[in-house]
Amino acid sequence: MADSTSIPAHVVIFPFPVQGHMNSMFKLSELLCLAGIHVTYIVTVENHNRLMNNTGSWYDKYPGFRFQMLPENVSQRNVGQLQLFVSLYESLKTTKPFFRDLLSGQGQTGPVTCLITDGLMKFTLDVGEETGVPVIYFRTASPCSVWTYFCLDKLIESGDCPFQEDGMDTPIRSVPGMEGFLRGRDLPSLFRVRDMSDTSLCKIFAGETLETVRARGFILNTFEELDGPIISQISTKIPNIYSIGPLHALLKTRLKLETTSSTGGSSNSLREEDKSCIKWLDEQPLKSINSRYIGEVWKLGLDIKDTCDRSIIEKAVRDLMEVRKEEFAKSAKEMATLARKAVNEGGDSHNNLNKLIEDIKMMNVAAHHA
């Protein structure tokens, strides 16, 4: 019998099948492949066809990587419309038998070591528990957004939710860590419902978020210097957190280290990553709570949400491009420097990725000795 330490770990990665979720988890797949871990990446038939058209055979360099397509009845056509999000959410739950077979190893070349799944699909936790496969959640949204969903019950109990349109600027005091700056208008847009007891998307997101505590660990696409205070709040619910962002910068760093190691060259500081890290901060959706953080906490821009007045927008553009241009440029450069430090060797994100990889390998050893 082969030594269990020589059998590669096999991770199944299951993103919610929409672009923003898939992009982050695709980068994580490549990072794990670089560490010698085998990866099965679950996609819909439609997304598989798109990926084949856009990425070609990039994954040929990773012999341990493969796609696994979901049953054809799972479709994300027009999922950008919120009312259809629920339809996709419900259709994913019908894949439970398919998913159970996958984790049980039927038709696979090797057993599954662990599952890394999107934090909006609690049925994967159920299947993981049934099959004995450890589950690590990955929530692709910003930590501040995730934390507000954790706090939905507190928001309701305090009377902060639901709120009326005339309460948009009312201070929100019931989200720990955000008491000093959060307003009604900063809460995720899904909180803007008249009746919090209905089966709204808000309840779905909040309910799914609360299930996070059942996972073996929790991955966030951020870094400590950016979101440390909120990561600390989330850790009161689930202590084992891997903050490994910005993922695209971390991947570039690892690829550069791989190239440096194979060519014997010297490792230069990644100055070219500065613009990339700044761009990642701009991918953060400029809506609801994220825009409040960008303006009030990170000091990287101006928050003009819910504003359509021409004069206000003109003033904001003038402030951004002229009056406060140097201030914002300095803040962005400082934050990019911190992000670059986080993904370089010795940085928090770099170390947290190493911890994630080692934990997966330990799960693999435990699985083969069970």
mmCIF file of all heavy atoms in Angstrom, residues 191-237:
data_model
loop_
_atom_site.group_PDB
_atom_site.id
_atom_site.type_symbol
_atom_site.label_atom_id
_atom_site.label_comp_id
_atom_site.label_asym_id
_atom_site.label_seq_id
_atom_site.Cartn_x
_atom_site.Cartn_y
_atom_site.Cartn_z
ATOM 1 N N PHE A 191 -31.398 44.587 2.561
ATOM 2 C CA PHE A 191 -32.027 44.898 3.835
ATOM 3 C C PHE A 191 -33.203 45.850 3.668
ATOM 4 O O PHE A 191 -33.964 46.070 4.611
ATOM 5 C CB PHE A 191 -31.011 45.543 4.795
ATOM 6 C CG PHE A 191 -30.068 44.553 5.433
ATOM 7 C CD1 PHE A 191 -29.291 43.708 4.663
ATOM 8 C CD2 PHE A 191 -29.939 44.482 6.802
ATOM 9 C CE1 PHE A 191 -28.416 42.812 5.242
ATOM 10 C CE2 PHE A 191 -29.068 43.594 7.408
ATOM 11 C CZ PHE A 191 -28.296 42.742 6.616
ATOM 12 N N ARG A 192 -33.363 46.414 2.503
ATOM 13 C CA ARG A 192 -34.404 47.417 2.280
ATOM 14 C C ARG A 192 -35.724 46.744 1.901
ATOM 15 O O ARG A 192 -36.192 46.819 0.767
ATOM 16 C CB ARG A 192 -33.967 48.402 1.198
ATOM 17 C CG ARG A 192 -32.710 49.166 1.584
ATOM 18 C CD ARG A 192 -32.320 50.182 0.530
ATOM 19 N NE ARG A 192 -31.029 50.787 0.833
ATOM 20 C CZ ARG A 192 -30.465 51.730 0.107
ATOM 21 N NH1 ARG A 192 -31.087 52.188 -0.979
ATOM 22 N NH2 ARG A 192 -29.286 52.228 0.450
ATOM 23 N N VAL A 193 -36.289 46.062 2.861
ATOM 24 C CA VAL A 193 -37.590 45.420 2.677
ATOM 25 C C VAL A 193 -38.515 45.903 3.780
ATOM 26 O O VAL A 193 -38.076 46.303 4.850
ATOM 27 C CB VAL A 193 -37.470 43.881 2.705
ATOM 28 C CG1 VAL A 193 -36.674 43.381 1.518
ATOM 29 C CG2 VAL A 193 -36.834 43.405 4.002
ATOM 30 N N ARG A 194 -39.802 45.865 3.510
ATOM 31 C CA ARG A 194 -40.770 46.350 4.499
ATOM 32 C C ARG A 194 -40.987 45.354 5.633
ATOM 33 O O ARG A 194 -41.254 45.737 6.766
ATOM 34 C CB ARG A 194 -42.110 46.645 3.810
ATOM 35 C CG ARG A 194 -42.041 47.821 2.842
ATOM 36 C CD ARG A 194 -43.408 48.127 2.263
ATOM 37 N NE ARG A 194 -43.363 49.257 1.355
ATOM 38 C CZ ARG A 194 -43.436 50.521 1.727
ATOM 39 N NH1 ARG A 194 -43.551 50.806 3.018
ATOM 40 N NH2 ARG A 194 -43.391 51.485 0.853
ATOM 41 N N ASP A 195 -40.852 44.065 5.303
ATOM 42 C CA ASP A 195 -41.142 43.027 6.300
ATOM 43 C C ASP A 195 -39.991 42.039 6.336
ATOM 44 O O ASP A 195 -39.806 41.255 5.409
ATOM 45 C CB ASP A 195 -42.454 42.322 5.949
ATOM 46 C CG ASP A 195 -42.840 41.264 6.983
ATOM 47 O OD1 ASP A 195 -42.136 41.155 8.004
ATOM 48 O OD2 ASP A 195 -43.836 40.559 6.749
ATOM 49 N N MET A 196 -39.202 42.043 7.410
ATOM 50 C CA MET A 196 -38.041 41.168 7.513
ATOM 51 C C MET A 196 -38.422 39.708 7.762
ATOM 52 O O MET A 196 -37.571 38.828 7.779
ATOM 53 C CB MET A 196 -37.121 41.642 8.645
ATOM 54 C CG MET A 196 -36.565 43.039 8.448
ATOM 55 S SD MET A 196 -35.584 43.231 6.945
ATOM 56 C CE MET A 196 -34.141 42.263 7.342
ATOM 57 N N SER A 197 -39.714 39.441 7.965
ATOM 58 C CA SER A 197 -40.140 38.067 8.219
ATOM 59 C C SER A 197 -40.498 37.324 6.943
ATOM 60 O O SER A 197 -40.823 36.145 6.977
ATOM 61 C CB SER A 197 -41.356 38.050 9.165
ATOM 62 O OG SER A 197 -42.488 38.650 8.538
ATOM 63 N N ASP A 198 -40.442 38.025 5.804
ATOM 64 C CA ASP A 198 -40.807 37.348 4.564
ATOM 65 C C ASP A 198 -39.644 36.485 4.075
ATOM 66 O O ASP A 198 -38.584 36.431 4.677
ATOM 67 C CB ASP A 198 -41.248 38.352 3.494
ATOM 68 C CG ASP A 198 -40.105 39.270 3.061
ATOM 69 O OD1 ASP A 198 -38.939 38.963 3.380
ATOM 70 O OD2 ASP A 198 -40.389 40.285 2.405
ATOM 71 N N THR A 199 -39.849 35.787 2.970
ATOM 72 C CA THR A 199 -38.805 34.912 2.428
ATOM 73 C C THR A 199 -37.962 35.671 1.424
ATOM 74 O O THR A 199 -37.799 35.255 0.283
ATOM 75 C CB THR A 199 -39.448 33.686 1.752
ATOM 76 O OG1 THR A 199 -40.370 34.140 0.744
ATOM 77 C CG2 THR A 199 -40.170 32.828 2.763
ATOM 78 N N SER A 200 -37.444 36.777 1.850
ATOM 79 C CA SER A 200 -36.675 37.631 0.964
ATOM 80 C C SER A 200 -35.256 37.109 0.787
ATOM 81 O O SER A 200 -34.773 36.239 1.519
ATOM 82 C CB SER A 200 -36.617 39.046 1.532
ATOM 83 O OG SER A 200 -35.914 39.034 2.752
ATOM 84 N N LEU A 201 -34.559 37.686 -0.184
ATOM 85 C CA LEU A 201 -33.167 37.349 -0.392
ATOM 86 C C LEU A 201 -32.334 37.672 0.834
ATOM 87 O O LEU A 201 -31.346 36.991 1.133
ATOM 88 C CB LEU A 201 -32.627 38.114 -1.604
ATOM 89 C CG LEU A 201 -32.963 37.532 -2.973
ATOM 90 C CD1 LEU A 201 -32.517 38.489 -4.064
ATOM 91 C CD2 LEU A 201 -32.298 36.186 -3.169
ATOM 92 N N CYS A 202 -32.738 38.714 1.535
ATOM 93 C CA CYS A 202 -32.027 39.093 2.755
ATOM 94 C C CYS A 202 -32.026 37.933 3.742
ATOM 95 O O CYS A 202 -30.996 37.603 4.346
ATOM 96 C CB CYS A 202 -32.669 40.333 3.374
ATOM 97 S SG CYS A 202 -31.824 40.916 4.853
ATOM 98 N N LYS A 203 -33.171 37.289 3.915
ATOM 99 C CA LYS A 203 -33.264 36.163 4.830
ATOM 100 C C LYS A 203 -32.432 34.978 4.335
ATOM 101 O O LYS A 203 -31.834 34.247 5.128
ATOM 102 C CB LYS A 203 -34.728 35.743 5.001
ATOM 103 C CG LYS A 203 -35.609 36.816 5.614
ATOM 104 C CD LYS A 203 -35.236 37.105 7.047
ATOM 105 C CE LYS A 203 -35.708 36.016 7.989
ATOM 106 N NZ LYS A 203 -35.530 36.376 9.403
ATOM 107 N N ILE A 204 -32.392 34.795 3.023
ATOM 108 C CA ILE A 204 -31.585 33.711 2.467
ATOM 109 C C ILE A 204 -30.113 33.949 2.777
ATOM 110 O O ILE A 204 -29.411 33.067 3.282
ATOM 111 C CB ILE A 204 -31.800 33.594 0.945
ATOM 112 C CG1 ILE A 204 -33.206 33.058 0.647
ATOM 113 C CG2 ILE A 204 -30.738 32.680 0.326
ATOM 114 C CD1 ILE A 204 -33.531 33.003 -0.827
ATOM 115 N N PHE A 205 -29.629 35.173 2.486
ATOM 116 C CA PHE A 205 -28.227 35.479 2.723
ATOM 117 C C PHE A 205 -27.883 35.377 4.202
ATOM 118 O O PHE A 205 -26.833 34.844 4.573
ATOM 119 C CB PHE A 205 -27.898 36.885 2.209
ATOM 120 C CG PHE A 205 -27.542 36.931 0.758
ATOM 121 C CD1 PHE A 205 -28.499 36.783 -0.227
ATOM 122 C CD2 PHE A 205 -26.231 37.119 0.365
ATOM 123 C CE1 PHE A 205 -28.170 36.825 -1.565
ATOM 124 C CE2 PHE A 205 -25.877 37.156 -0.972
ATOM 125 C CZ PHE A 205 -26.859 37.012 -1.950
ATOM 126 N N ALA A 206 -28.756 35.923 5.064
ATOM 127 C CA ALA A 206 -28.499 35.877 6.500
ATOM 128 C C ALA A 206 -28.520 34.442 7.020
ATOM 129 O O ALA A 206 -27.657 34.032 7.806
ATOM 130 C CB ALA A 206 -29.532 36.727 7.244
ATOM 131 N N GLY A 207 -29.505 33.651 6.553
ATOM 132 C CA GLY A 207 -29.597 32.264 6.985
ATOM 133 C C GLY A 207 -28.386 31.458 6.569
ATOM 134 O O GLY A 207 -27.843 30.659 7.349
ATOM 135 N N GLU A 208 -27.940 31.659 5.332
ATOM 136 C CA GLU A 208 -26.758 30.960 4.846
ATOM 137 C C GLU A 208 -25.523 31.376 5.636
ATOM 138 O O GLU A 208 -24.658 30.557 5.959
ATOM 139 C CB GLU A 208 -26.549 31.236 3.354
ATOM 140 C CG GLU A 208 -27.581 30.596 2.442
ATOM 141 C CD GLU A 208 -27.365 29.103 2.288
ATOM 142 O OE1 GLU A 208 -26.306 28.595 2.707
ATOM 143 O OE2 GLU A 208 -28.265 28.424 1.740
ATOM 144 N N THR A 209 -25.422 32.670 5.946
ATOM 145 C CA THR A 209 -24.264 33.171 6.686
ATOM 146 C C THR A 209 -24.160 32.532 8.061
ATOM 147 O O THR A 209 -23.074 32.157 8.509
ATOM 148 C CB THR A 209 -24.334 34.701 6.826
ATOM 149 O OG1 THR A 209 -24.326 35.296 5.517
ATOM 150 C CG2 THR A 209 -23.149 35.241 7.614
ATOM 151 N N LEU A 210 -25.287 32.380 8.743
ATOM 152 C CA LEU A 210 -25.278 31.798 10.085
ATOM 153 C C LEU A 210 -24.811 30.341 10.077
ATOM 154 O O LEU A 210 -24.304 29.842 11.079
ATOM 155 C CB LEU A 210 -26.673 31.904 10.714
ATOM 156 C CG LEU A 210 -27.145 33.331 11.030
ATOM 157 C CD1 LEU A 210 -28.562 33.306 11.580
ATOM 158 C CD2 LEU A 210 -26.203 34.009 12.023
ATOM 159 N N GLU A 211 -24.969 29.655 8.929
ATOM 160 C CA GLU A 211 -24.522 28.267 8.826
ATOM 161 C C GLU A 211 -23.002 28.154 8.759
ATOM 162 O O GLU A 211 -22.440 27.064 8.894
ATOM 163 C CB GLU A 211 -25.129 27.603 7.584
ATOM 164 C CG GLU A 211 -26.640 27.467 7.626
ATOM 165 C CD GLU A 211 -27.104 26.467 8.670
ATOM 166 O OE1 GLU A 211 -26.356 25.505 8.935
ATOM 167 O OE2 GLU A 211 -28.194 26.655 9.224
ATOM 168 N N THR A 212 -22.330 29.285 8.558
ATOM 169 C CA THR A 212 -20.872 29.285 8.437
ATOM 170 C C THR A 212 -20.192 28.627 9.622
ATOM 171 O O THR A 212 -19.126 28.016 9.486
ATOM 172 C CB THR A 212 -20.365 30.740 8.289
ATOM 173 O OG1 THR A 212 -20.970 31.330 7.133
ATOM 174 C CG2 THR A 212 -18.852 30.791 8.123
ATOM 175 N N VAL A 213 -20.793 28.724 10.791
ATOM 176 C CA VAL A 213 -20.165 28.193 12.013
ATOM 177 C C VAL A 213 -19.986 26.675 11.951
ATOM 178 O O VAL A 213 -19.210 26.108 12.729
ATOM 179 C CB VAL A 213 -20.974 28.582 13.262
ATOM 180 C CG1 VAL A 213 -21.033 30.093 13.407
ATOM 181 C CG2 VAL A 213 -22.400 28.012 13.216
ATOM 182 N N ARG A 214 -20.692 26.019 11.039
ATOM 183 C CA ARG A 214 -20.564 24.564 10.912
ATOM 184 C C ARG A 214 -19.335 24.161 10.107
ATOM 185 O O ARG A 214 -18.929 22.985 10.137
ATOM 186 C CB ARG A 214 -21.806 23.983 10.245
ATOM 187 C CG ARG A 214 -23.082 24.156 11.047
ATOM 188 C CD ARG A 214 -24.309 23.836 10.184
ATOM 189 N NE ARG A 214 -24.235 22.512 9.576
ATOM 190 C CZ ARG A 214 -24.997 22.125 8.550
ATOM 191 N NH1 ARG A 214 -25.887 22.965 8.024
ATOM 192 N NH2 ARG A 214 -24.887 20.906 8.052
ATOM 193 N N ALA A 215 -18.737 25.083 9.379
ATOM 194 C CA ALA A 215 -17.605 24.769 8.502
ATOM 195 C C ALA A 215 -16.325 24.590 9.308
ATOM 196 O O ALA A 215 -16.163 25.131 10.408
ATOM 197 C CB ALA A 215 -17.432 25.869 7.459
ATOM 198 N N ARG A 216 -15.383 23.828 8.727
ATOM 199 C CA ARG A 216 -14.089 23.594 9.367
ATOM 200 C C ARG A 216 -13.236 24.866 9.366
ATOM 201 O O ARG A 216 -12.385 25.054 10.236
ATOM 202 C CB ARG A 216 -13.357 22.464 8.625
ATOM 203 C CG ARG A 216 -12.035 22.045 9.209
ATOM 204 C CD ARG A 216 -12.192 21.263 10.491
ATOM 205 N NE ARG A 216 -12.897 20.007 10.264
ATOM 206 C CZ ARG A 216 -12.280 18.857 9.972
ATOM 207 N NH1 ARG A 216 -10.973 18.809 9.860
ATOM 208 N NH2 ARG A 216 -12.992 17.752 9.816
ATOM 209 N N GLY A 217 -13.462 25.723 8.391
ATOM 210 C CA GLY A 217 -12.714 26.969 8.284
ATOM 211 C C GLY A 217 -13.438 27.926 7.365
ATOM 212 O O GLY A 217 -14.442 27.575 6.729
ATOM 213 N N PHE A 218 -12.930 29.148 7.285
ATOM 214 C CA PHE A 218 -13.611 30.211 6.538
ATOM 215 C C PHE A 218 -12.573 31.045 5.799
ATOM 216 O O PHE A 218 -11.678 31.631 6.420
ATOM 217 C CB PHE A 218 -14.401 31.076 7.517
ATOM 218 C CG PHE A 218 -15.383 32.022 6.888
ATOM 219 C CD1 PHE A 218 -16.164 31.648 5.810
ATOM 220 C CD2 PHE A 218 -15.544 33.308 7.401
ATOM 221 C CE1 PHE A 218 -17.088 32.516 5.246
ATOM 222 C CE2 PHE A 218 -16.460 34.199 6.843
ATOM 223 C CZ PHE A 218 -17.237 33.785 5.775
ATOM 224 N N ILE A 219 -12.683 31.084 4.465
ATOM 225 C CA ILE A 219 -11.740 31.825 3.623
ATOM 226 C C ILE A 219 -12.337 33.183 3.245
ATOM 227 O O ILE A 219 -13.507 33.266 2.875
ATOM 228 C CB ILE A 219 -11.412 31.037 2.344
ATOM 229 C CG1 ILE A 219 -10.731 29.707 2.699
ATOM 230 C CG2 ILE A 219 -10.516 31.849 1.410
ATOM 231 C CD1 ILE A 219 -10.560 28.778 1.512
ATOM 232 N N LEU A 220 -11.514 34.228 3.340
ATOM 233 C CA LEU A 220 -11.919 35.567 2.926
ATOM 234 C C LEU A 220 -10.866 36.132 1.974
ATOM 235 O O LEU A 220 -9.660 35.992 2.209
ATOM 236 C CB LEU A 220 -12.066 36.495 4.133
ATOM 237 C CG LEU A 220 -13.251 36.208 5.065
ATOM 238 C CD1 LEU A 220 -13.102 37.012 6.351
ATOM 239 C CD2 LEU A 220 -14.572 36.542 4.382
ATOM 240 N N ASN A 221 -11.331 36.789 0.917
ATOM 241 C CA ASN A 221 -10.438 37.385 -0.071
ATOM 242 C C ASN A 221 -10.089 38.812 0.358
ATOM 243 O O ASN A 221 -10.543 39.790 -0.222
ATOM 244 C CB ASN A 221 -11.104 37.373 -1.449
ATOM 245 C CG ASN A 221 -10.171 37.877 -2.549
ATOM 246 O OD1 ASN A 221 -8.968 38.016 -2.341
ATOM 247 N ND2 ASN A 221 -10.736 38.156 -3.707
ATOM 248 N N THR A 222 -9.278 38.916 1.408
ATOM 249 C CA THR A 222 -8.865 40.212 1.930
ATOM 250 C C THR A 222 -7.577 40.023 2.705
ATOM 251 O O THR A 222 -7.023 38.923 2.751
ATOM 252 C CB THR A 222 -9.958 40.830 2.822
ATOM 253 O OG1 THR A 222 -9.604 42.188 3.140
ATOM 254 C CG2 THR A 222 -10.137 40.039 4.111
ATOM 255 N N PHE A 223 -7.080 41.101 3.334
ATOM 256 C CA PHE A 223 -5.872 40.978 4.142
ATOM 257 C C PHE A 223 -6.036 41.751 5.441
ATOM 258 O O PHE A 223 -6.888 42.628 5.563
ATOM 259 C CB PHE A 223 -4.630 41.431 3.365
ATOM 260 C CG PHE A 223 -4.679 42.832 2.831
ATOM 261 C CD1 PHE A 223 -4.042 43.878 3.486
ATOM 262 C CD2 PHE A 223 -5.346 43.114 1.636
ATOM 263 C CE1 PHE A 223 -4.072 45.165 2.982
ATOM 264 C CE2 PHE A 223 -5.378 44.404 1.120
ATOM 265 C CZ PHE A 223 -4.744 45.431 1.793
ATOM 266 N N GLU A 224 -5.222 41.395 6.428
ATOM 267 C CA GLU A 224 -5.406 41.884 7.788
ATOM 268 C C GLU A 224 -5.341 43.400 7.894
ATOM 269 O O GLU A 224 -6.121 44.020 8.630
ATOM 270 C CB GLU A 224 -4.347 41.259 8.708
ATOM 271 C CG GLU A 224 -4.498 39.762 8.909
ATOM 272 C CD GLU A 224 -5.657 39.408 9.809
ATOM 273 O OE1 GLU A 224 -6.088 40.279 10.577
ATOM 274 O OE2 GLU A 224 -6.128 38.256 9.744
ATOM 275 N N GLU A 225 -4.416 44.030 7.207
ATOM 276 C CA GLU A 225 -4.260 45.478 7.319
ATOM 277 C C GLU A 225 -5.480 46.224 6.792
ATOM 278 O O GLU A 225 -5.746 47.356 7.202
ATOM 279 C CB GLU A 225 -3.006 45.949 6.573
ATOM 280 C CG GLU A 225 -1.696 45.542 7.219
ATOM 281 C CD GLU A 225 -1.362 46.384 8.450
ATOM 282 O OE1 GLU A 225 -2.115 47.340 8.733
ATOM 283 O OE2 GLU A 225 -0.361 46.091 9.117
ATOM 284 N N LEU A 226 -6.220 45.609 5.899
ATOM 285 C CA LEU A 226 -7.410 46.249 5.333
ATOM 286 C C LEU A 226 -8.639 45.998 6.197
ATOM 287 O O LEU A 226 -9.406 46.921 6.488
ATOM 288 C CB LEU A 226 -7.662 45.723 3.913
ATOM 289 C CG LEU A 226 -8.840 46.358 3.162
ATOM 290 C CD1 LEU A 226 -8.515 47.802 2.796
ATOM 291 C CD2 LEU A 226 -9.173 45.565 1.908
ATOM 292 N N ASP A 227 -8.833 44.759 6.621
ATOM 293 C CA ASP A 227 -10.092 44.373 7.270
ATOM 294 C C ASP A 227 -9.899 43.715 8.632
ATOM 295 O O ASP A 227 -10.809 43.028 9.112
ATOM 296 C CB ASP A 227 -10.867 43.411 6.357
ATOM 297 C CG ASP A 227 -11.590 44.134 5.240
ATOM 298 O OD1 ASP A 227 -12.269 45.139 5.530
ATOM 299 O OD2 ASP A 227 -11.478 43.697 4.081
ATOM 300 N N GLY A 228 -8.751 43.934 9.270
ATOM 301 C CA GLY A 228 -8.464 43.283 10.541
ATOM 302 C C GLY A 228 -9.548 43.416 11.599
ATOM 303 O O GLY A 228 -9.946 42.412 12.212
ATOM 304 N N PRO A 229 -10.082 44.632 11.853
ATOM 305 C CA PRO A 229 -11.105 44.776 12.897
ATOM 306 C C PRO A 229 -12.364 43.954 12.635
ATOM 307 O O PRO A 229 -12.934 43.361 13.562
ATOM 308 C CB PRO A 229 -11.405 46.282 12.880
ATOM 309 C CG PRO A 229 -10.146 46.905 12.383
ATOM 310 C CD PRO A 229 -9.632 45.943 11.349
ATOM 311 N N ILE A 230 -12.792 43.900 11.372
ATOM 312 C CA ILE A 230 -13.997 43.124 11.058
ATOM 313 C C ILE A 230 -13.700 41.635 11.033
ATOM 314 O O ILE A 230 -14.538 40.810 11.435
ATOM 315 C CB ILE A 230 -14.605 43.586 9.718
ATOM 316 C CG1 ILE A 230 -15.065 45.033 9.842
ATOM 317 C CG2 ILE A 230 -15.773 42.698 9.314
ATOM 318 C CD1 ILE A 230 -16.074 45.267 10.964
ATOM 319 N N ILE A 231 -12.494 41.249 10.597
ATOM 320 C CA ILE A 231 -12.108 39.837 10.670
ATOM 321 C C ILE A 231 -12.154 39.370 12.113
ATOM 322 O O ILE A 231 -12.594 38.254 12.418
ATOM 323 C CB ILE A 231 -10.704 39.624 10.063
ATOM 324 C CG1 ILE A 231 -10.725 39.898 8.551
ATOM 325 C CG2 ILE A 231 -10.209 38.204 10.327
ATOM 326 C CD1 ILE A 231 -9.360 39.864 7.900
ATOM 327 N N SER A 232 -11.725 40.241 13.039
ATOM 328 C CA SER A 232 -11.776 39.900 14.468
ATOM 329 C C SER A 232 -13.212 39.682 14.930
ATOM 330 O O SER A 232 -13.487 38.786 15.743
ATOM 331 C CB SER A 232 -11.122 41.008 15.300
ATOM 332 O OG SER A 232 -9.745 41.104 15.010
ATOM 333 N N GLN A 233 -14.131 40.490 14.418
ATOM 334 C CA GLN A 233 -15.542 40.319 14.776
ATOM 335 C C GLN A 233 -16.069 38.978 14.244
ATOM 336 O O GLN A 233 -16.744 38.228 14.960
ATOM 337 C CB GLN A 233 -16.382 41.464 14.209
ATOM 338 C CG GLN A 233 -16.067 42.834 14.785
ATOM 339 C CD GLN A 233 -16.544 42.996 16.214
ATOM 340 O OE1 GLN A 233 -17.328 42.206 16.733
ATOM 341 N NE2 GLN A 233 -16.073 44.040 16.879
ATOM 342 N N ILE A 234 -15.757 38.670 12.988
ATOM 343 C CA ILE A 234 -16.225 37.413 12.395
ATOM 344 C C ILE A 234 -15.629 36.205 13.128
ATOM 345 O O ILE A 234 -16.289 35.169 13.276
ATOM 346 C CB ILE A 234 -15.878 37.362 10.893
ATOM 347 C CG1 ILE A 234 -16.602 38.489 10.141
ATOM 348 C CG2 ILE A 234 -16.263 36.010 10.287
ATOM 349 C CD1 ILE A 234 -16.206 38.610 8.680
ATOM 350 N N SER A 235 -14.398 36.369 13.623
ATOM 351 C CA SER A 235 -13.741 35.256 14.315
ATOM 352 C C SER A 235 -14.430 34.893 15.621
ATOM 353 O O SER A 235 -14.197 33.808 16.163
ATOM 354 C CB SER A 235 -12.267 35.582 14.578
ATOM 355 O OG SER A 235 -12.137 36.609 15.552
ATOM 356 N N THR A 236 -15.296 35.769 16.126
ATOM 357 C CA THR A 236 -16.080 35.402 17.314
ATOM 358 C C THR A 236 -17.131 34.355 16.968
ATOM 359 O O THR A 236 -17.655 33.681 17.859
ATOM 360 C CB THR A 236 -16.773 36.632 17.925
ATOM 361 O OG1 THR A 236 -17.733 37.166 16.995
ATOM 362 C CG2 THR A 236 -15.767 37.709 18.288
ATOM 363 N N LYS A 237 -17.458 34.224 15.687
ATOM 364 C CA LYS A 237 -18.420 33.221 15.215
ATOM 365 C C LYS A 237 -17.724 31.971 14.693
ATOM 366 O O LYS A 237 -18.184 30.854 14.917
ATOM 367 C CB LYS A 237 -19.300 33.821 14.109
ATOM 368 C CG LYS A 237 -20.061 35.071 14.525
ATOM 369 C CD LYS A 237 -21.122 34.764 15.552
ATOM 370 C CE LYS A 237 -21.949 35.999 15.865
ATOM 371 N NZ LYS A 237 -22.992 35.727 16.891
#
